[in-house]
Structure formats: C-alpha cells, structure tokens
C-alpha cells in the first residue's frame, strides 16, 4: 500500500511541500502561503507533519541510488538550539563534498561520537583518513572503529566541513527555533539529502537539467513510496 493512502491531498502536493521546505530557507507558514497561491489550502501544522513523516521515507527510498562516500572524511559538530537549549549536530563530508551523515545529540561526548561513526560507517566505506577537531574523544573513537585510518587534527584542516555547516545554519535562520531533538535530526537529515542530490551524489534525476535535478528526483521517489 502506498504511504500516501488516507491523506486528503494528493502525493504531488505533499511532496512539493516537503521539497520546498527542505530545499529553501522557508518556514512552515511560508510553505502554507506558497501552496495557497497555487490553490491548495494547507495549514502550516499539516506541512510540519508531512515533513516529519515523509522526509525519512524519501531518504530510505533513495538509499539504493546513493553513491558510496569517498575515503577521506572531515568530521565536526555544530550547535543548534532545541527548546531553548544548545545541542549538537555531528556532521561529516567527504573529499567530493558528499555529506556522509548527520546525528543530533544532546551531548558532545564519547558516546555521541561513537553513535555518529557507527551511523556513518553503515554507508559502506571505511575511510583511510579522518580529519577532526582536537576534541579528546576522537582519538579513542577512531582507535576503536577505524584503527587503520590516519587521523588529522591540524588547525584549519577541517575547513571543508566548517564551511558546509554554514549552509545548514542558513537553512535554520527563518525558523523560530526547534522544539524537539527529533526535529533537529529530521531537518538535518533532510537538508543533507537535498544537498547531496543537488551535488550529484545520487543516481536520481541524472537526465534532468541541473536546475531541475531535485524536482525530477523527488518525482521518481514519489512513485517509490
């Protein structure tokens, strides 16, 4: 049975709302207004529920089409505010700009770093080199999970991931803060997903013009879920 069964609006409207929200610096109310201009009257709370429900489904459906990450990783954490408190978002990119994975965590510690690397390594590539900041827990995690990898923690060596954080932070600016850690995870993963499609790290929308790649990819995925 289709995941869209039981919804009042057709799949095309739902996926359009989700795509707009993940791609552009829009609030849920902005998406509500843009949809109204096209005819469908959808409450912003409904858009929020669509994003939470369908973002993970789209990511799962696209998994077989994803390129294997590269063998040089840049790993770092950035800060996001959830329910008025600063929390952490672990992120990693490879040498070609593919965002490997994202993990929202209330703490910045050894356990969180372990969870992040376990997730990242599930994508099928063990890196030969990992660049991090000088947090004390990284050497231990790498010794446990990637003992053969060369660990780099030189100053400025992690600039690729720090620059990539800025793109995610730009996405968060129009929002009125995140209320739950799950929302931070969903938005972080969804932003990563859209960014990777646009950068050509999925075999989705490959025959479309670059400007239409994301639209074509989401159209393909709508049929898959």
């Amino acid at each position: 049975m289709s995941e869209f069964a039981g919804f009042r609006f057709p799949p095309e409207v739902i996926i359009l709302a989700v795509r707009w929200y993940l791609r552009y610096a829009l609030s849920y109310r902005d998406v509500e207004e843009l949809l109204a201009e096209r005819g469908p009257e959808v409450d912003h709370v409904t858009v929020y529920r669509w994003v939470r429900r369908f973002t993970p489904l789209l990511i799962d459906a696209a998994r077989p089409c994803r390129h294997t990450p590269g063998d040089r990783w840049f790993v770092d954490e950035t800060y996001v505010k959830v329910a008025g408190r600063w929390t952490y978002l672990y992120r990693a990119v490879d040498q070609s700009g593919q965002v490997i994975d994202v993990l929202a965590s209330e703490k910045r510690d050894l356990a969180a770093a372990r969870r992040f690397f376990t997730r990242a390594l599930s994508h099928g590539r063990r890196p030969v080199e990992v660049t991090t900041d000088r947090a004390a827990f990284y050497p231990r995690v790498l010794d446990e999970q990637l003992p053969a990898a060369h660990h780099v923690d030189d100053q400025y060596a992690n600039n690729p991931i720090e620059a990539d954080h800025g793109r995610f932070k730009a996405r968060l600016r129009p929002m009125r803060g995140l209320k739950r850690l799950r929302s931070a995870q969903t938005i972080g993963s969804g932003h990563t997903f859209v960014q990777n499609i646009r950068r050509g790290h999925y075999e989705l929308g490959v025959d479309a013009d670059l400007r239409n790649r994301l639209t074509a990819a989401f159209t393909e995925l709508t049929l898959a879920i």
Side-chain angles (χ1 to χ4, degrees), residues 6 10 14 22 30 89 109 125 136-137 140 152 174 193 210-211:
I14 295 171
L22 296 177
D30 290 334
L89 201 71
D109 58 12
R125 171 63 63 88
F137 50 76
R140 183 171 173 183
V152 178
F193 176 55
L210 180 61
R211 293 169 297 180

Side-chain angles (χ1 to χ4, degrees), residues 111-145:
R114 280 179 177 145
R115 290 197 305 274
F116 175 72
F117 273 95
T118 298
R119 286 175 58 100
L121 289 168
S122 70
H123 296 294
R125 171 63 63 88
R126 299 183 71 82
V128 299
E129 180 180 287
V130 179
T131 301
T132 71
D133 59 24
R134 296 180 179 178
F137 50 76
Y138 278 125
R140 183 171 173 183
V141 173
L142 294 174
D143 284 345
E144 291 173 357
Q145 300 198 25

Side-chain angles (χ1 to χ4, degrees), residues 4 40 59-60 66 68 76 88 116 121 129 135 137 154-155 160 164 169-170 176 184 189-190 193 202 207 210:
F4 299 100
I59 293 171
D60 286 345
R66 182 175 175 176
T68 301
D76 192 29
Y88 303 92
F116 175 72
L121 289 168
E129 180 180 287
F137 50 76
D154 299 338
Q155 189 177 18
D164 205 83
K169 289 295 187 68
R176 296 182 178 180
S189 297
F193 176 55
Y202 281 86
D207 295 328
L210 180 61

Side-chain angles (χ1 to χ4, degrees), residues 6-109:
F7 284 84
R8 182 163 66 92
F9 290 91
E12 294 77 14
V13 172
I14 295 171
I15 293 301
L16 177 63
V18 174
R19 176 168 62 81
W20 277 349
Y21 183 77
L22 296 177
R23 167 64 182 92
Y24 301 107
L26 299 171
S27 68
Y28 293 114
R29 291 181 185 275
D30 290 334
V31 176
E32 174 186 351
E33 184 176 334
L34 289 169
L35 288 173
E37 289 181 2
R38 293 192 168 202
E41 294 187 5
V42 182
D43 187 81
H44 64 278
V45 176
T46 298
V47 176
Y48 161 76
R49 291 171 179 161
W50 288 349
V51 170
R52 284 191 56 172
R53 176 175 174 82
F54 286 97
T55 297
L57 294 174
L58 290 164
I59 293 171
D60 286 345
R63 203 173 304 278
C65 304
R66 182 175 175 176
H67 295 175
T68 301
D71 60 3
R72 292 175 57 225
W73 292 9
F74 302 85
V75 180
D76 192 29
E77 325 84 50
T78 190
Y79 301 88
V80 294
K81 190 165 281 190
V82 177
R85 299 177 59 185
W86 288 111
T87 58
Y88 303 92
L89 201 71
Y90 286 79
R91 304 176 75 245
V93 300
D94 68 11
Q95 68 268 35
S96 62
Q98 180 178 171
V99 184
I100 299 163
D101 214 328
V102 175
L103 174 69
S105 173
E106 294 179 343
K107 296 182 179 180
R108 180 178 182 258
D109 58 12

Side-chain angles (χ1 to χ4, degrees), residues 177-221:
L178 298 165
K179 301 295 188 295
R180 298 177 180 84
L181 194 67
R182 179 182 170 184
S183 295
Q185 182 66 51
T186 299
I187 302 307
S189 297
H191 177 267
T192 289
F193 176 55
V194 165
Q195 189 167 298
N196 282 340
I197 290 176
R198 296 183 67 236
R199 291 175 176 175
H201 298 304
Y202 281 86
E203 291 300 311
L204 289 167
V206 292
D207 295 328
D209 178 87
L210 180 61
R211 293 169 297 180
N212 297 316
R213 177 180 290 166
L214 189 63
T215 303
F218 271 58
T219 299
E220 292 177 41
L221 291 172

